[in-house]
């Protein structure tokens, strides 16, 4: 009986010591968590006990701390990107507006009818450029919403490409480029969004006209289950185009030739193509820059 009593007493003492140790360790973990939160420390919670439950608890807490840090970094990056976006938009809109005001003042004080007509044409061009920029920015804002989606339906892709090309007829003539167009007689049909596909092609062709220096070719062909559309142009050997960055928002390879560009055209094109289940890529070979789109055929 005395032996049993002694064992029971030792067991009780051991349990009390273990409970006290556990409580102290939990209190120490709480202090560590408070310190990490207060000082935004990168330190992890540690424990001197090797018990499975305590180790699982510290692992769980460290996982939550890591997730909190990840969310914080993501929020900071999003805030930085938002500020950069606002700064870029403000600059892109301010420039043509300032130009518009200047030409308007010149026209108001000019008595030469021929010169006034010239100012009027310039002002009209600036207004159209602003309208295009506004449309690009409006599309950009919509695409920034993760829930935004495009409703796709069967479209005549061949006709769509031809319509967009003809809409740039005057621009191509004025650019002095010699366009080379290769479109098959076969009608290619794709599951896409008509307005979205037109915007993609408009942005890519406009990019070629703004930044290209020679030639312009538009090629369309069936390639397996895809319809492949290529828009390319020659560029100067001095142009430094980072192909890996051309689809980034606000990326401008040559800031000296922005010509009212928002730097969003190819970014928007990529977002729209991917939302339609397609693929888009850029290639630069022997001073020829190409944008290639793959859209699934029906």
């Amino acid at each position: 009986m005395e032996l049993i009593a002694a064992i029971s007493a030792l067991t009780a003492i051991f349990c009390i010591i273990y409970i006290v140790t556990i409580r102290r360790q939990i209190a120490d973990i709480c202090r560590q968590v408070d310190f990490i939160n207060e000082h935004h420390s990168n330190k992890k919670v540690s424990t001197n006990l090797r018990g499975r439950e305590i180790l699982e608890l510290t692992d769980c807490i460290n996982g939550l701390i890591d997730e909190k840090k990840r969310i914080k970094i993501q929020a900071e990056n999003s805030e930085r990107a938002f500020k950069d976006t606002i700064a870029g938009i403000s600059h892109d809109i301010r420039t043509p507006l300032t130009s518009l005001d200047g030409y308007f003042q010149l026209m108001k004080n000019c008595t030469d009818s021929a010169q006034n007509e010239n100012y009027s044409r310039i002002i009209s061009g600036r207004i159209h450029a602003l309208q295009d920029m506004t449309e690009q920015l409006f599309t950009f804002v919509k695409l920034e919403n993760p829930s935004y989606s495009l409703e796709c339906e069967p479209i005549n892709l061949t006709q769509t490409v031809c319509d967009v090309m003809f809409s740039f007829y005057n621009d191509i003539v004025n650019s002095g480029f010699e366009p080379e167009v290769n479109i098959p007689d076969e009608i290619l049909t794709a599951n896409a969004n008509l307005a979205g596909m037109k915007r993609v092609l408009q942005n890519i062709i406009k990019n070629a006209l703004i930044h290209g220096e020679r030639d312009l070719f538009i090629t369309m062909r069936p390639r397996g289950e895809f319809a492949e559309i290529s828009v390319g142009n020659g560029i100067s050997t001095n142009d430094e185009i980072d192909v890996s960055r051309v689809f980034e928002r606000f990326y401008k390879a040559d800031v000296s030739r922005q010509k009212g560009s928002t730097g969003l055209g190819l970014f928007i094109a990529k977002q729209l193509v991917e939302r339609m289940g397609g693929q888009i890529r850029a290639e630069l070979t022997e001073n020829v820059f190409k944008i290639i789109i793959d859209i699934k055929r029906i």
Side-chain angles (χ1 to χ4, degrees), residues 79-110:
E79 183 179 0
R80 192 179 302 112
F82 177 74
K83 289 180 178 178
D84 290 343
T85 298
I86 295 299
I89 290 173
S90 300
H91 176 270
D92 289 329
I93 291 179
R94 188 187 303 117
T95 302
L97 280 176
T98 303
S99 174
L100 264 176
D101 182 63
Y103 280 109
F104 178 75
Q105 295 301 326
L106 287 172
M107 186 175 71
K108 188 172 66 171
N109 298 320
C110 181

Side-chain angles (χ1 to χ4, degrees), residues 179-192:
E180 179 184 331
V181 180
N182 294 296
I183 295 179
D185 295 331
E186 174 189 0
I187 300 297
L188 299 182
T189 306
N191 187 48

Side-chain angles (χ1 to χ4, degrees), residues 266-280:
L266 295 185
F267 170 81
I268 289 173
K270 182 176 188 295
Q271 297 297 312
L272 290 173
V273 167
E274 291 179 349
R275 276 173 168 78
M276 289 186 284
Q279 301 171 352
I280 186 170

Side-chain angles (χ1 to χ4, degrees), residues 117-171:
E117 186 176 346
N118 181 48
Y119 290 149
S120 178
R121 282 197 300 269
I122 294 173
I123 290 173
S124 177
R126 295 293 193 276
I127 290 173
H128 284 115
L130 269 173
Q131 288 174 335
D132 184 65
M133 289 173 62
T134 303
E135 182 60 32
Q136 294 275 40
L137 295 171
F138 178 66
T139 305
F140 167 70
V141 171
K142 288 195 296 184
L143 291 171
E144 286 293 279
N145 184 350
S147 64
Y148 175 72
S149 61
L150 291 173
E151 297 211 357
C152 295
E153 60 183 1
I155 67 168
N156 185 330
L157 196 57
T158 304
Q159 185 64 49
T160 303
V161 172
C162 291
D163 288 344
V164 174
M165 282 172 45
F166 283 129
S167 72
F168 280 93
Y169 176 79
N170 290 331
D171 300 277

